[in-house]
Every structure is written in C-alpha cells, then in structure tokens.
Amino acid sequence: MNQRPVVEPGAAGAAEAGPGPGTGALRRPIVAANWKMNLGPSRAAAFFAAFRLGPNVSRVRLQFFVPAVSLAAARTAAKVAAEFGIQNVHWEREGALTGETSAEMAREAGVALALVGHSERRHVFGETDAEVARKTRAVSRAGLTPVVCVGERLEERRAGRLEEVLRRQVGAFVGALAGAKEWMVAYEPVWAIGTGETATPQDAFEAHEIVRAALGEAGPGPILYGGSVKPGNAAELLGVHGVDGVLVGGASLDPAEFAGIVAAAT
Ligand code: PGA
C-alpha cells in the first residue's frame, strides 16, 4: 500500500525509531498493561512485589490500567515509575448512575489516563461510536489522557473493510480530542485480542497508517498496538514504523512476562 519500510532500520524498539509520521516526536516507547477484570487489591500488590525490571527502564513509559478497586493498592505497592489508568468512565461528572465512575473521580483517585472504547466495551457491552466520543470528551475535560481503542473484527478485515471501519471509528472521536492536553490511540484488531493471533508487522504497519491518516486533524500522537503481545513478539512489533507502544492484556498479568515485554522495549 505504500513504499516506506515496515520495520525501522536497526530498530529493536520504537525508542530507536527514526523520523516519520507520529514517531519523530516520540522517543520513549509506551508499554501499557490492561489488566481487565483481573487482579483485585491483594493480587495487585503481589504483582508489584514480584515485578522486577532490568536496566534502562527509564527509556520506557510504563502504564497500568487496573481495576478501579485495585488502584489504591497498586499505586501503593508499585515501586517503579509508572502511570496509572482506569479502564472505563462515564461521561457525566456525577449523578444517579449506579455502578459508574466519572473521569473526575478517577483523577481524584490518582489516575492519569483512561482507556476509552476498548474492544470489550464495544463488543461485550455494546458501546457505540457516539458513546466513545462522549467518553473521550469527558476524559479530556477531566485533564486525563484518553487512550482510545479502535480495531476491526475478523469478518470486517476479510470483507476488505479494514480502512472503512478504522476511519469510521476514528472519525467518531477525533473531534473530541481537541480539548485533551495529551491523547493516545490503541489499534487493537479484535481477532488478535486474547487469541494468541498477532498482527504481522505488515498488518500493524498498514493499520497504523490508516489510523494516523484518519487522525489527521488531531495532529500527531502516539499510536499503540495491542493484541496478543508477548515477550517473544514485542520487539518486532515495537520495531514497526509508526508503532509507538504496546497495550498488553493477558501477558501483563504475569510479572515476569510483563517485565519481559518491558525489556524488549528498552
Ligand atoms: P491481549 O489483550 O494482550 O490479551 O490480547 C490486549 C487488550 O485487549 O488490550
């Protein structure tokens, strides 16, 4: 689809990435853990008790999206320089909305980032593009960094609808990024999440190019790849032109495995 090299020459990770759309300004690869509905407070503390990082870890921007009830325990137990995020918010600030958490409340709890529109929110809980946009706006309003997730289903990819789907998803929230002091987007092909299937470097490159083009008016910002990232494939994915970091689900629950992914990024 275009002539640029898929893999950065000599890159072991995005930290080595040369200039290019969205990568030139970003020298620190992002390694983000998405614990999903795993690790309550005591297991979160146990995770950090066992989490050992090698040298050069300051070259990586480390993030943990933990269950809301585990935030306090995780922040207390973490001995590493990391940012914490919430996995979902409601767009209202407060109110009679049983079971929901606002971005303002998350900020008060020490959160710096919020995932928005994760594939499981979209496909298990039926979150719409319009809701993703409202949540993105709410996260920005609260002064948090939205990490907005996009990605196609297998049948959409097979039907040749990759670009259409990604453009529709990005188009829905791109205007809502205007008020954010910082934002990120995560490209996570639905067929690669929790399946052990990983996008090839070429797949990731092409999808990131589409997402970056669709983000046009929002300007440059980091785009993460997610979907079955493991210690054994992280370096290759982080070496892809335009991949600024990784969002890791299953492999982020094990301290040694996640440390292996951080090591691959350094
Ligand atoms: P996975 O999940 O690494 O288990 O595929 C990624 C995600 O859903 O963020």
Side-chain angles (χ1 to χ4, degrees):
M1 93 181 243
N2 68 57
Q3 303 308 311
R4 270 204 299 280
V6 173
V7 177
E8 298 291 346
E16 307 291 334
T23 56
L26 188 91
R27 296 292 171 181
R28 269 173 96 201
I30 295 156
V31 179
N34 175 12
W35 285 358
K36 309 191 179 185
M37 198 174 77
N38 296 289
L39 309 190
S42 49
R43 288 186 62 202
F47 174 97
F48 283 108
F51 188 50
R52 304 259 182 283
L53 293 173
N56 300 326
V57 66
S58 61
R59 290 181 61 184
V60 174
R61 191 170 164 190
L62 201 53
Q63 303 174 346
F64 289 89
F65 294 90
V66 309
V69 295
S70 300
L71 264 171
R75 290 184 64 223
T76 303
K79 300 285 183 283
V80 292
E83 297 167 292
F84 284 87
I86 193 160
Q87 298 171 8
N88 179 42
V89 296
H90 194 273
W91 52 81
E92 297 290 348
R93 288 172 202 267
E94 60 188 3
L97 292 159
T98 302
E100 296 293 325
T101 305
S102 73
E104 281 77 6
M105 290 169 177
R107 188 188 58 210
E108 197 182 323
V111 152
L113 312 112
L115 286 181
V116 182
H118 185 274
S119 138
E120 286 140 24
R121 299 301 317 168
R122 291 176 187 265
H123 301 304
V124 181
F125 299 99
E127 211 161 280
T128 64
D129 284 337
E131 288 169 338
V132 169
R134 291 183 84 173
K135 291 183 178 195
T136 303
R137 198 167 284 114
V139 169
S140 307
R141 172 192 75 208
L144 305 182
T145 298
V147 181
V148 194
C149 306
V150 298
E152 82 289 1
R153 291 167 180 258
L154 187 57
E155 58 268 30
E156 292 167 332
R157 170 172 282 266
R158 286 195 174 138
R161 296 178 51 217
L162 172 70
E163 179 155 6
E164 172 209 319
V165 169
L166 294 180
R167 282 193 172 273
R168 190 203 75 228
Q169 290 177 338
V170 173
F173 68 78
V174 70
L177 298 175
K181 63 174 181 358
E182 178 192 55
W183 53 262
M184 300 179 197
V185 170
Y187 166 66
E188 300 198 294
V190 178
W191 47 271
I193 296 178
T195 59
E197 298 276 327
T198 315
T200 64
Q202 183 67 33
D203 290 338
F205 171 71
E206 289 177 5
H208 279 235
E209 289 278 290
I210 293 168
V211 170
R212 203 174 300 284
L215 282 164
E217 62 177 89
I223 304 178
L224 318 184
Y225 169 81
S228 298
V229 176
K230 308 276 181 238
N233 61 23
E236 181 180 47
L237 288 160
L238 284 161
V240 173
H241 184 98
V243 173
D244 302 312
V246 285
L247 180 56
V248 185
S252 74
L253 299 175
D254 181 278
E257 250 195 296
F258 192 56
I261 292 172
V262 176
T266 52

